[in-house]
Amino acid sequence: MKTGGQLIVEALEANGTDRIFCVPGESYLAVLDALHDSSIRTIVCRQEGGAAMMADCQGRLTGKPGICFVTRGPGATNASAGIHIAMQDSVPLILFIGQVASHAKEREAFQEVDYKRFFGDIAKWVVEIDDAARIPEFVTRAFAVATSGRPGPVVISLPEDMLTSEVEAPEALPYTPVETYPGETELDALEMLLAGAKRPFVILGGTRWDEQAVARMRAIAETWSLPVGCSFRRQMLFDHLHPNYAGDVGIGINPKLAAQIKAADVVLLIGGRMGEMPSSDYTLLKSPYPDQALVHVHADAGELGRVYRPTLAINASPAAFVEAFARLRLAGAPSWAAETAKAHAAYLEWSTPPQTGPGDVHMGPIMDYLEKVLPEDAILANGAGNYATWVHRFHRSRRFATQAAPTSGSMGYGTPAAVAAKALHPDREVIAFAGDGCFLMNGQEFATAVQYDLPIIVIVVNNGIYGTIRMHQEREYPSRVVATDLKNPDFAALARAYGGHGETVAKTAEFAPAFERARASGKPAIVEIKLDPEAITPTRTLTQIRDKA
Ligand SMILES: Cc1ncc(C[n+]2csc(CCOP(=O)(O)OP(=O)(O)O)c2C)c(N)n1
């Protein structure tokens, strides 16, 4: 006989879980108690949104579900921020929620929420376990659902009395990963399409990639001289210094790259959904009928033909697809090789930062410095804000599993993601970028970094405004500023108050020594950059935007 709490922990162990992120609650004490006897590492966080984002980052970097435990009601609603991110980003995650006891259900008991309804639209599957004997079945199924097809978050609600009940249950067996391979017919059709192509273009996106798949894709690009772009916030899928790399298909895309994609005759979209942001609001590829012949490769058949009618639909995971694609050969030399080289030259020009700008701190030289000193395997995390443009446009990503940024554009992601990344890879450098607005959405997880001795460096780009919104505001309603000014704390002092290391950078030249002191401190650190709010984009000032409105 075992308690529900013990069975949950055993099922997690059986499925290979080695850590969980949580905020405790009295609703799932029986699970916490079972964790006491387990080798699973428990990372206790400061807010459930941060905990869920950590689980998302774990899932994003490993391809295996990140695990998060929260309490009912307020815990679950806080965690929803991370669930939405995992959903939009196709990241495997399992959120366990302590639920009210069975006798109290449907009375709007203390902190009671109907999770099927609450999470219905932002989770892949939501289930409540009423019989502890079925825990092994449901937990293993949750792993299968979270990782198969298009991965995503699963929510499991755990009534309190179910967790304390003692039952006999079958042993939990690990989930069986499901692979989806392309068929010979699809590969023949792909070969034919590429044989007739004059201006092909490859866009990589989505999840279900791994290091080997990325290496295979690189070899394919070389064999076929294909120009390759990475979808919004999927830059870790292709080496940016590779001569076939054409650029980031994201927000504020290089106009030359946009023109190249629009003019392509065949677009090979591997793994991505080509949503509103990467498609520049459905203009690069038109929905539902693209101008280009679209080959769409996706692990979930439900995504094929959902937004774009593809010329050729291939239901396969990126990893399985590139394995098969690597076996195809082109007859003769590709006619587009010169265009591919030109596209890379255009990328290099686009990703070279300006060296000056308004104010005393210039982000261009700072990005140059980071590019020089950060190792190729450093992990960069960020949330949303105009500051992120500096990272996405000027960081030349080299390797797989080095990026953690939500395509949902959720603020507050960078700091918790960095904590999870550092816990996963203590030997690698982990840098979070945040705006002043972004940081304070989940900045309290800096305390988690201190608690677990995880020396992340958070670069807070402080311009004293919710910059992105101010930019839109000045463009749409010039000089009518509402709700976008911020009065901020002293971020370096805040870092020290938490027990970390703090630095303030008010001039460009101060950045390098400040960053090196942060690195040498061996502590979690915040490096605050005091950026002039006029430096709202790498190329335009707020005043220019206002004057042009
Ligand atoms: C959770 C969340 N809330 C609100 C927004 C809307 N939003 C997008 S960017 C932004 C401002 C970001 O400000 P900051 O982090 O200071 O960066 P900056 O743009 O100034 O560089 C806001 C409020 C969002 N994307 N996510």
Side-chain angles (χ1 to χ4, degrees), residues 384-387 409-411 435-438 441 463 465-469 486:
N386 268 34
Y387 73 88
S410 176
M411 292 168 70
D436 42 328
C438 195
M441 285 211 178
N463 57 2
I465 52 176
Y466 280 132
T468 304
I469 311 308
L486 297 173

Side-chain angles (χ1 to χ4, degrees), residues 252-260 350:
I253 187 173
N254 180 356
K256 284 186 186 161
L257 177 58
Q260 187 184 12
W350 178 253

Side-chain angles (χ1 to χ4, degrees), residues 231-517:
S231 185
F232 180 51
R233 298 187 163 181
R234 301 293 195 214
Q235 288 159 284
M236 63 181 189
L237 297 179
F238 205 84
D239 177 359
H240 287 23
L241 291 184
H242 190 282
N244 291 51
Y245 187 63
D248 173 22
V249 187
I251 298 176
I253 187 173
N254 180 356
K256 284 186 186 161
L257 177 58
Q260 187 184 12
I261 296 170
K262 282 186 185 171
D265 55 355
V266 176
V267 169
L268 181 47
L269 172 60
I270 309 176
R273 295 187 294 122
M274 208 57 180
E276 184 185 346
M277 294 297 134
S279 68
S280 300
D281 199 8
Y282 308 103
T283 59
L284 295 184
L285 294 186
K286 288 183 193 148
S287 171
Y289 305 124
D291 292 335
Q292 310 89 333
L294 174 67
V295 181
H296 193 180
V297 181
H298 204 284
D300 190 334
E303 293 300 330
L304 298 168
R306 179 181 175 189
V307 180
Y308 304 100
R309 180 195 162 274
T311 303
L312 174 60
I314 302 182
N315 184 200
S317 74
F321 172 72
V322 294
E323 187 185 342
F325 190 4
R327 295 196 297 269
L328 302 187
R329 289 286 169 267
L330 180 70
S335 59
W336 52 76
E339 291 308 309
T340 301
K342 263 198 231 163
H344 185 59
Y347 163 71
L348 290 178
E349 193 189 328
W350 178 253
S351 60
T352 303
Q355 295 302 305
T356 58
D360 292 333
V361 179
H362 303 131
M363 286 301 292
I366 289 176
M367 288 310 298
D368 279 342
Y369 180 77
L370 289 172
E371 288 300 284
K372 200 172 70 193
V373 302
L374 286 180
E376 279 180 19
D377 68 354
I379 299 172
L380 273 58
N382 61 269
N386 268 34
Y387 73 88
T389 310
W390 294 98
V391 187
H392 296 319
R393 180 164 164 186
F394 302 115
H395 170 54
R396 290 171 172 166
S397 179
R398 308 297 310 274
R399 291 210 207 162
F400 183 67
T402 55
Q403 184 179 31
T407 62
S408 70
S410 176
M411 292 168 70
Y413 181 80
T415 305
V419 172
K422 190 71 183 173
L424 189 63
H425 296 293
D427 51 330
R428 286 164 61 178
E429 281 201 61
V430 179
I431 314 292
F433 285 84
D436 42 328
C438 195
F439 177 74
L440 281 173
M441 285 211 178
N442 276 314
Q444 72 278 4
E445 300 306 344
F446 192 77
T448 311
V450 172
Q451 177 157 347
Y452 291 95
D453 198 12
L454 298 168
I456 59 170
I457 299 180
V458 186
I459 297 178
V460 177
V461 184
N462 177 9
N463 57 2
I465 52 176
Y466 280 132
T468 304
I469 311 308
R470 173 68 69 82
M471 176 181 73
H472 291 301
Q473 197 165 53
E474 295 284 12
R475 199 189 54 226
E476 304 294 330
Y477 303 98
S479 300
R480 293 173 62 81
V481 172
V482 176
T484 49
D485 276 331
L486 297 173
K487 188 165 184 177
N488 286 311
D490 174 341
F491 288 102
L494 189 65
R496 289 190 285 273
Y498 273 119
H501 179 90
E503 293 282 349
T504 310
V505 174
K507 291 197 170 71
T508 307
E510 290 169 7
F511 180 78
F515 186 74
E516 293 311 325
R517 282 192 298 271

